[in-house]
Amino acid sequence: MSLLELFLIGVGLSMDAFAVSICKGLTMKKIDYKMSLTLAIFFGGFQALMPFLGWFLGSQFANAIEQFDHWIAFILLTFIGFQMIKEALSTQEEEIKSVTSIGEIFMLAIATSIDALAIGVTFSFLKVKILPAITLIGCTTFVLTLIGVKIGNIFGMKYKQKSEIFGGLVLIAIGTKILVEHLFF
């Protein structure tokens, strides 16, 4: 598999993380570089880890994972999306916080990288050199996450409540898309 093909796979796999990072950027009053870097490390790290695990496990567990990976992603993204909407609609005056808990980042990183597990299984079938593949995928996701936070932040300051509702709806939509794709296509 060529570097270009691996890069394109990395871009494709990172789109969910990119969308989530835009949503996170929407909630930041000003760019929180430490949080942006934390998001990028988690998202890039999990996008690299999951294909490695898939490659390592190979085909022996592929059927078991494919049966429920979409449900895990759907539940996690929907839960987080509803939490964002609930917070946006809350009448309580709350200090605008761009800080996200490590637990939430961890759940988002897992939810946005579960599909990468199946790619790793495919890599094992195709005898792909795993280290260059996961490095490229992880780095691509890292960079796109940082870009996503910046894009989200540019639009979030003016439209905070609408942005948080939109961000929550995007997370729910991503979870639903994953579920529908796995159940019907």
Side-chain angles (χ1 to χ4, degrees), residues 66 157 166:
E66 286 176 349
M157 289 181 62
F166 176 75

Side-chain angles (χ1 to χ4, degrees), residues 140-161:
T140 300
T141 303
F142 179 89
V143 169
L144 287 175
T145 298
L146 292 174
I147 291 169
V149 170
K150 180 65 175 171
I151 290 170
N153 181 255
I154 290 169
F155 294 105
M157 289 181 62
K158 293 181 182 176
Y159 309 103
K160 182 184 177 340
Q161 183 183 25

Side-chain angles (χ1 to χ4, degrees), residues 90-127:
S90 173
T91 56
Q92 290 181 316
E93 271 302 309
E94 195 177 312
E95 182 183 331
I96 297 172
K97 65 175 199 172
S98 62
V99 178
T100 303
S101 74
I102 294 297
E104 182 181 352
I105 295 171
F106 182 77
M107 287 189 341
L108 286 169
I110 291 172
T112 59
S113 65
I114 284 183
D115 285 347
L117 196 61
I119 294 295
V121 172
T122 304
F123 285 171
S124 71
F125 296 148
L126 299 174
K127 308 282 189 234

Side-chain angles (χ1 to χ4, degrees), residues 26-181:
L26 289 170
T27 65
M28 293 180 184
K29 193 172 197 176
K30 69 177 197 166
I31 291 283
D32 179 341
Y33 292 103
K34 182 179 176 184
M35 182 53 59
S36 300
L37 188 59
T38 302
L39 285 169
I41 289 169
F42 268 80
F43 288 176
F46 272 86
Q47 286 291 358
L49 177 64
M50 291 298 207
F52 176 77
L53 291 175
W55 173 82
F56 182 74
L57 297 173
S59 64
Q60 52 190 293
F61 296 109
N63 290 337
I65 293 167
E66 286 176 349
Q67 292 173 359
F68 60 87
D69 67 347
H70 50 283
W71 285 105
I72 294 169
F74 172 73
I75 290 167
L76 290 174
L77 289 171
T78 300
F79 174 76
I80 293 167
F82 277 122
Q83 287 298 107
M84 284 179 71
I85 292 168
K86 179 182 165 190
E87 288 175 18
L89 296 175
S90 173
T91 56
Q92 290 181 316
E93 271 302 309
E94 195 177 312
E95 182 183 331
I96 297 172
K97 65 175 199 172
S98 62
V99 178
T100 303
S101 74
I102 294 297
E104 182 181 352
I105 295 171
F106 182 77
M107 287 189 341
L108 286 169
I110 291 172
T112 59
S113 65
I114 284 183
D115 285 347
L117 196 61
I119 294 295
V121 172
T122 304
F123 285 171
S124 71
F125 296 148
L126 299 174
K127 308 282 189 234
V128 171
K129 293 181 181 177
I130 197 64
L131 190 57
I134 64 173
T135 301
L136 188 57
I137 290 168
C139 289
T140 300
T141 303
F142 179 89
V143 169
L144 287 175
T145 298
L146 292 174
I147 291 169
V149 170
K150 180 65 175 171
I151 290 170
N153 181 255
I154 290 169
F155 294 105
M157 289 181 62
K158 293 181 182 176
Y159 309 103
K160 182 184 177 340
Q161 183 183 25
K162 290 178 183 176
S163 297
E164 285 184 343
I165 292 170
F166 176 75
L169 291 172
V170 167
L171 293 180
I172 293 167
I174 291 170
T176 303
K177 175 188 149 282
I178 291 168
L179 184 64
V180 168
E181 284 177 350

